């Protein structure tokens, strides 16, 4: 048991959400943006495929880690944010791919 004012150790959710979820996802999107700006369509499509597989993997990973949060509301927030990020990823990839096909 922790004493008042003592910091709790980081939860598994913190690790999964930030280090395995947010940071790698942003790096993948930055790489996709770079590939798009350089006109590297094959690389862009490969990154889209990686992002879709990654998104399909990270959502259940965060879902399973959510109960480890020190505050249950943080687990709920992490689940909701991850679902929203996943939907955003799928929709962005869909519309950006449509744009590429239309060129």
């Amino acid at each position: 048991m922790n004493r008042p004012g003592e910091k709790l150790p980081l939860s598994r959710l913190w690790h999964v959400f930030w280090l395995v979820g947010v940071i790698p996802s942003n790096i993948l999107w930055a790489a996709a943006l770079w590939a798009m700006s350089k006109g590297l369509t094959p690389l862009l499509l490969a990154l889209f495929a990686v992002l879709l597989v990654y998104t399909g993997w990270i959502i259940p990973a965060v879902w399973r880690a959510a109960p480890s949060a020190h505050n249950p509301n943080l687990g709920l927030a992490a689940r909701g944010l991850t679902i929203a990020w996943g939907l955003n990823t799928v929709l962005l990839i869909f519309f950006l791919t449509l744009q590429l096909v239309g060129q």
Side-chain angles (χ1 to χ4, degrees):
M1 188 118 215
N2 291 348
R3 287 175 276 208
E6 187 177 341
K7 288 188 175 181
L8 295 171
L10 297 176
S11 68
R12 182 171 163 262
L13 175 63
W14 187 91
H15 174 80
V16 172
F17 184 82
W18 290 107
L19 300 181
V20 181
V22 172
I23 293 171
S25 178
N26 279 292
I27 290 169
L28 286 169
W29 272 112
L33 180 61
W34 177 82
M36 182 182 288
S37 72
K38 298 294 181 187
L40 302 172
T41 304
L43 176 59
L44 179 63
L45 294 175
L47 286 167
F48 283 173
V50 170
L51 271 161
L52 288 172
V53 170
Y54 174 79
T55 299
W57 171 79
I58 197 63
I59 290 173
V62 169
W63 203 270
R64 287 189 303 268
S68 74
H70 299 302
N71 178 340
N73 291 331
L74 293 177
L76 182 63
R79 285 176 171 173
L81 287 169
T82 304
I83 293 293
W85 186 269
L87 287 171
N88 185 54
T89 294
V90 170
L91 290 171
L92 272 172
I93 289 173
F94 175 74
F95 287 111
L96 289 172
T97 303
L98 281 179
Q99 180 181 338
L100 284 173
V101 170
Q103 288 180 353

